[in-house]
Amino acid sequence: MNQETQEILEEKKPSLTGASPEDLAHAIFDVLDAKKAVDIKVLHVHDHTVITDYFIICTGRSTTQVKSLGGEVEFKIGERGVDPSHYEGRDNGNWVVLDYGSVILHIFSQESREFYKLEKLYGDAEEVHFQSIDEKAEAEAK
């Protein structure tokens, strides 16, 4: 990990208590990106379902990483004052769900993601792009 990436990861983050759904989604994205989740998608589903504003969908490279990603998001977002109302799949490694009310995070194994196809189910939802750590570092280098 280069020095710039380390500084980004270690910088003190403000509280998320009372944050907008988009800010919470962005914070979760940043944790997933830092922990090398694969193919992170942020879908604005507010107009497609009454249960949440955003779905975040990503893949872990192994059952261990699927579990680890869930634990890291819970820990890092908890440090910023927000805990999930529900955490499902803590012991399973194929699919972990963290429900933050306005944001629901789905962490899949590759096989489970292909089976459930949430992106296809919500294919008409707007995909939101947040800048990754690598994109930020590249932009700062220019």
Side-chain angles (χ1 to χ4, degrees), residues 97-132:
V97 178
L98 283 88
D99 183 349
Y100 286 94
S102 62
V103 179
I104 297 177
L105 168 61
H106 300 269
I107 306 168
F108 289 103
S109 66
Q110 185 64 45
E111 299 79 29
S112 292
R113 188 166 181 175
E114 290 170 5
F115 179 80
Y116 288 104
K117 300 178 184 174
L118 283 184
E119 293 103 324
K120 186 173 182 178
L121 185 61
Y122 291 95
D124 52 349
E126 173 192 0
E127 184 174 346
V128 178
H129 178 78
F130 295 126
Q131 196 173 38
S132 71

Side-chain angles (χ1 to χ4, degrees), residues 6 8-16 24 27-28 30-32 34-35 68-84 98 100:
Q6 187 66 31
I8 290 170
L9 293 176
E10 291 178 358
E11 119 189 9
K12 178 72 172 141
K13 303 289 185 181
S15 173
L16 289 168
L24 179 57
I28 293 169
D30 287 344
V31 173
L32 294 167
K35 295 303 281 183
S68 175
L69 289 167
E72 187 72 3
V73 168
E74 181 181 33
F75 176 74
K76 292 290 189 182
I77 301 303
E79 281 188 321
R80 297 180 66 187
V82 179
D83 294 314
L98 283 88
Y100 286 94

Side-chain angles (χ1 to χ4, degrees), residues 31-32 35-38 57-74 87-98 105-113:
V31 173
L32 294 167
K35 295 303 281 183
K36 306 296 183 197
V38 177
I57 304 165
C58 70
T59 302
R61 291 183 175 91
S62 66
T63 57
T64 302
Q65 189 187 27
V66 169
K67 292 177 196 178
S68 175
L69 289 167
E72 187 72 3
V73 168
E74 181 181 33
Y87 190 127
E88 187 68 38
R90 193 179 305 271
D91 298 323
N92 119 16
N94 287 313
W95 184 10
V96 170
V97 178
L98 283 88
L105 168 61
H106 300 269
I107 306 168
F108 289 103
S109 66
Q110 185 64 45
E111 299 79 29
S112 292
R113 188 166 181 175

